[in-house]
Amino acid sequence: MHINDKKYLSLHFENNVFTYFNVKIKEVIDALERFAPLPLQEDWDNAGLQIGLTETEASGALLCLDVNEHVVDEAVRKGFNVVVAHHPLLFRGLKQISDADDVQRTVTKAVKNDIAIVAMHTNMDNARGGVNFKIAEKLQLENVDFFARKKVGDIEAGSGVTGFLPSPMPANAFINMVKDTFGIHTALCNQPLQRDISKVAICGGAGDFLLQQAIAEGADAFITGEMHYHLYAGHEQQLQICVIGHYQSEQFTAELFRDIIAKDCPGLKTELAETARNPIYYL
């Protein structure tokens, strides 16, 4: 049997012998949860399996930030029966399942087409090597580690990370570098810092709750996805605030999913969703 005979076949190499075996959806979820255990999620979150039967063989995993009916349509079209998203589809309780809104339509399509939907949300934010480490990697930061540390059982975690630029940069150059890295035209900032930036604090998504801790860490700059209006004031020349958009800050999270699955479920086909879109329009 050729490896391409079944696209859900996984490949294991040991003692110079190739072994073929089927990957179940449960194994894909287990791989993700070993990297970012569910106890790391915040109390208000709803990470983990959202829809689906885990003993089913995985035919491929479509990876995205937000799952919607277009992403499910894409999974069906490509013959994939797993969707891994960062943001949970089922975040608040559903009182009906109809065609009344996108969430309900997405649930209906997933169930009809036997598509499993998995969310790796704040557990992936808080995990070592997770979302904030990926942002730091894209910015080529060095000596990256948690700040706002916490222990969950025996697991060290953190809501944000700090790291250092390879070389200090003027504030305007730093802001332009961030914009180029994340493909944005505009960043929301406070007054440009009049000293070079070296130490950078990061919290993807809605991270303004860490602003004061970033200051306490001695960060020269704080990057996050969204921030309340009044927090921009009062930190002039204290640190450089750089807010780049929630979606934009977490856009590389699907690459994390791809790498985790490739390591623990080798041979299972994965793709970044082509239909994934920022729900916010800039007009």
Side-chain angles (χ1 to χ4, degrees):
M1 180 173 57
H2 192 275
I3 189 171
N4 291 323
D5 288 346
K6 283 189 173 184
K7 58 188 169 184
Y8 54 78
L9 284 178
S10 185
L11 178 64
H12 179 64
F13 183 75
E14 186 174 4
N15 297 326
N16 297 319
V17 176
F18 286 107
T19 304
Y20 302 97
F21 58 94
N22 295 333
V23 176
K24 292 184 177 181
I25 291 172
K26 179 179 184 296
E27 295 173 78
V28 178
I29 297 172
D30 286 347
L32 292 163
E33 291 184 4
R34 276 192 298 273
F35 185 95
L38 289 182
L40 296 185
Q41 71 178 310
E42 303 295 337
D43 292 341
W44 46 263
D45 201 5
N46 188 36
L49 178 68
Q50 308 267 288
I51 298 170
L53 303 177
T54 62
E55 292 297 324
T56 304
E57 292 171 350
S59 60
L62 195 62
L63 315 173
C64 59
L65 194 66
D66 301 284
V67 57
N68 54 39
E69 58 182 322
H70 301 296
V71 171
V72 172
D73 286 339
E74 181 181 348
V76 172
R77 189 168 63 251
K78 292 179 173 178
F80 291 2
N81 64 353
V82 182
V83 173
V84 182
H86 182 46
H87 296 134
L89 173 67
L90 301 177
F91 195 68
R92 299 173 181 84
L94 290 178
K95 295 189 176 179
Q96 66 176 23
I97 299 177
S98 67
D99 61 352
D101 57 44
D102 183 75
V103 172
Q104 294 181 55
R105 290 191 295 271
T106 303
V107 170
T108 301
K109 283 190 175 184
V111 172
K112 280 186 175 180
N113 291 282
D114 297 319
I115 306 292
I117 296 178
V118 183
M120 294 283 113
H121 191 209
T122 52
N123 54 320
M124 190 63 69
D125 291 332
N126 291 331
R128 181 168 293 280
V131 174
N132 295 311
F133 286 84
K134 174 59 74 171
I135 295 171
E137 175 191 313
K138 293 294 182 178
L139 293 168
Q140 300 182 16
L141 300 188
E142 300 172 347
N143 301 318
V144 178
D145 206 351
F146 291 122
F147 79 104
R149 293 172 182 270
K150 50 192 170 186
K151 275 269 195 176
V152 181
D154 295 329
I155 306 171
E156 185 184 36
S159 299
V161 301
T162 58
F164 293 84
L165 294 167
S167 300
M169 299 177 68
N172 286 331
F174 170 78
I175 293 166
N176 286 331
M177 182 271 289
V178 172
K179 288 163 58 178
D180 290 343
T181 300
F182 291 89
I184 60 174
H185 298 294
T186 303
L188 304 180
C189 304
N190 61 345
Q191 180 187 81
L193 212 59
Q194 293 174 11
R195 66 174 192 272
D196 283 354
I197 290 170
S198 179
K199 186 174 184 179
V200 180
I202 295 169
C203 182
D208 60 12
F209 67 100
L210 288 181
L211 177 61
Q212 290 300 325
Q213 286 172 271
I215 293 169
E217 285 285 323
D220 301 308
F222 178 55
I223 298 173
T224 191
E226 56 182 285
M227 179 175 287
H228 286 83
Y229 170 80
H230 292 287
L231 294 178
Y232 287 86
H235 306 294
E236 294 80 8
Q237 301 308 311
Q238 190 174 33
L239 91 169
Q240 183 66 64
I241 294 170
C242 190
V243 178
I244 61 177
H246 195 126
Y247 181 95
Q248 291 87 341
S249 70
E250 297 180 328
Q251 63 184 288
F252 303 115
T253 303
E255 295 180 11
L256 275 175
F257 302 151
R258 179 190 61 197
D259 295 343
I260 294 164
I261 295 170
K263 178 178 178 292
D264 284 8
C265 303
L268 180 66
K269 190 170 183 180
T270 61
E271 290 187 17
L272 308 186
E274 298 171 345
T275 50
R277 296 288 184 274
N278 187 347
I280 298 174
Y281 287 73
Y282 297 83
L283 304 176

